[in-house]
Amino acid sequence: MLNHPISRRMFNISLGTTALAAITRPSLAQTSPTPTKGGRLRIMLQETASSSLLDPTKVASFSVYFAYAMVGERLVCVDSRLNPVPMLAESWEPVNNKVDVWVFKLRRGVEFHNGKSLTAKDVTYSLNRLRDPASQSPLRTLLEHITEIVEDDPYTLRFVLSRPDADFPLLLAQDRFYIFPEGFSTFDKPLGTGPFVADGLNPAGVNVYRRNQNYWQNGKPYLDEVAFQGNQDAVTRASALLAGDVDAVQTINFALAKRIAATSSFQVVSSPSGVHNVIAMLTDTSPFDRPEVRDAMKYLFDREQMRDRLCAGHAQIGNDHPIPPFSSFYHTELPIRTYDPDRAKSILQKAGLSFPTQVLHSSDAVTPGVAVDLAQVYADGARKAGISLEPKRDPVTGYWDNVWLKQPLMVSGWGTRFTPDLMLRVAYRSGAKWNETHWSRPKVDAMMDEAVATTDVNRRRELYWAIQETIHHDGGAGIPLFFDQLDAVSSKVKGVSPSPLGSLTGPAMADLWLDQSA
């Protein structure tokens, strides 16, 4: 186990809030001309770098993760529906039906920036460094079920696991599972196989990363250089784009999206994601220990109004379970609850339940600019059912320590997860550390275990649909929306495609090019 407990923010970041986007990505509606090479793309990121070290074992800022992803690469990437696709590994397969031993074949002809060829020894070194207790890596907990990494030959690796894991390829696609040369340790001077080469990272200034002339993807990257800097102020980022000081902005808020989209020289790239807020009810605390109360509370979401009012339309409707609509395991036949305050009132009356005023906790620590307003809109809708909710805006500082997991009614937030299991096991499994509703159903736990232990896609879908139905009907989580991830670009930036992890990330830079005639 870790010597220090992993924080919730660290876990959210490590599970993909700034992860790689796919090599093959769905194109935008318009057809782009043939890519041309050359030029410098200027990007403003959502956060300044907190360190100059590009060390995957350390917790860092979004700018550091962005730099990682341009310089380094992982064995596996993901597509627009979070399915695994080849990166440095060209193929993989389980050895047996138990899915507790996996064989990965490495791509040949890949070189690090120093000219060294990629081999199995580099993969073993990079992953063992994350697994080493001495590194105190927050990612170590994700790799604890790897008991052995065997190099069958210079381009073949065998992973032996302590438990079945049908999602293992997606695990290796997680953020910061980058592959470095064997023995590499000078992370102030990054070295990888990625599309761009760097001398380092300057936290306070503009960083210019150059094209990797020997990149393994033929003809890519198109850009000569990518120049990036961080700025935490959303208005400043949008203003820099509109003024022409930068060509692209990573992460804009919903309010600014309308302003940018209204101009003909810019485009908002809206990507459906797994990011969501939860109205979390403690199911072991009155009145939310009664299933009738939980049921009634879920009819108080005016989901369309919330989408349009809070997100300017940039959200997908949720259905009170944590699997997003773009997931291949999303339950497409489960009817979405509609806003029905009369039905909520009737449910409580039939159960003979009174409902005293409840404090609804929220904070900008959850989703700045959204979570607090969501609590107010929800309370307004509840009033029509005769249910009195008192929204309370808690301070950012201490919210995760003092309110979350403790108060009977609160707003929480979660990032995109690569697999249903990574979401369900953390927040909906009996006794899980971050089971924020204290909900416990052993039958659901058993279904989770069976789903992750089989590669039969139809059986997995059947199990995940059953889990979604149970959480939808009985769970303590009200989930009205899944928020889109918004980036913005100048019209001369081409090759940008929607991705549930955000469009301006990592290898996506290898696909981008500049149309100087636009």
Side-chain angles (χ1 to χ4, degrees), residues 11-47:
F11 190 84
N12 275 337
I13 290 174
S14 72
L15 289 181
T17 52
T18 55
L20 299 180
I23 298 173
T24 304
R25 305 158 68 85
S27 61
L28 296 177
Q30 70 272 22
T31 301
S32 296
T34 302
T36 57
K37 284 196 171 185
R40 172 187 287 191
L41 176 66
R42 302 164 301 166
I43 300 177
M44 186 167 283
L45 306 177
Q46 63 179 302
E47 190 177 33

Side-chain angles (χ1 to χ4, degrees), residues 31 60 132 198 268 270:
T31 301
D132 184 356
V268 174
S270 183

Side-chain angles (χ1 to χ4, degrees), residues 323-336:
I323 309 304
F326 67 82
S327 170
S328 57
F329 293 110
Y330 176 74
H331 196 326
T332 56
E333 298 178 10
L334 182 62
I336 293 176

Side-chain angles (χ1 to χ4, degrees), residues 40 138 162 179 225 228 328 392 407 468 476 493:
R40 172 187 287 191
S162 61
I179 306 304
E225 298 175 334
F228 64 94
S328 57
K392 180 181 179 183
Q407 294 297 330
Q468 289 170 67
V493 179

Side-chain angles (χ1 to χ4, degrees), residues 139-153:
L139 301 177
R140 181 171 172 256
T141 186
L142 301 179
L143 301 172
E144 286 182 332
H145 64 312
I146 298 177
T147 59
E148 189 177 11
I149 303 176
V150 181
E151 298 164 14
D152 289 342
D153 64 50

Side-chain angles (χ1 to χ4, degrees), residues 72 174 197 208 231 236 258 262 285 300 326 372 398 428 479 483 508:
Q174 298 296 335
V197 179
V208 179
N231 193 300
T236 298
K258 282 186 176 180
T285 304
L300 303 179
F326 67 82
V372 172
Y428 295 85
I479 301 175
F483 306 130

Side-chain angles (χ1 to χ4, degrees), residues 87-137:
M87 180 59 91
L88 295 181
E90 63 180 9
S91 67
W92 50 82
E93 61 180 355
V95 170
N96 53 45
N97 291 332
K98 295 181 180 179
V99 292
D100 59 358
V101 180
W102 286 82
V103 171
F104 281 67
K105 296 286 187 179
L106 295 183
R107 191 180 300 277
R108 296 172 184 258
V110 177
E111 292 185 354
F112 290 99
H113 298 158
N114 63 359
K116 179 188 180 302
S117 295
L118 170 73
T119 70
K121 290 187 180 296
D122 304 310
V123 176
T124 302
Y125 168 78
S126 300
L127 296 181
N128 278 343
R129 190 169 180 273
L130 292 171
R131 296 170 64 214
D132 184 356
S135 73
Q136 298 187 20
S137 168

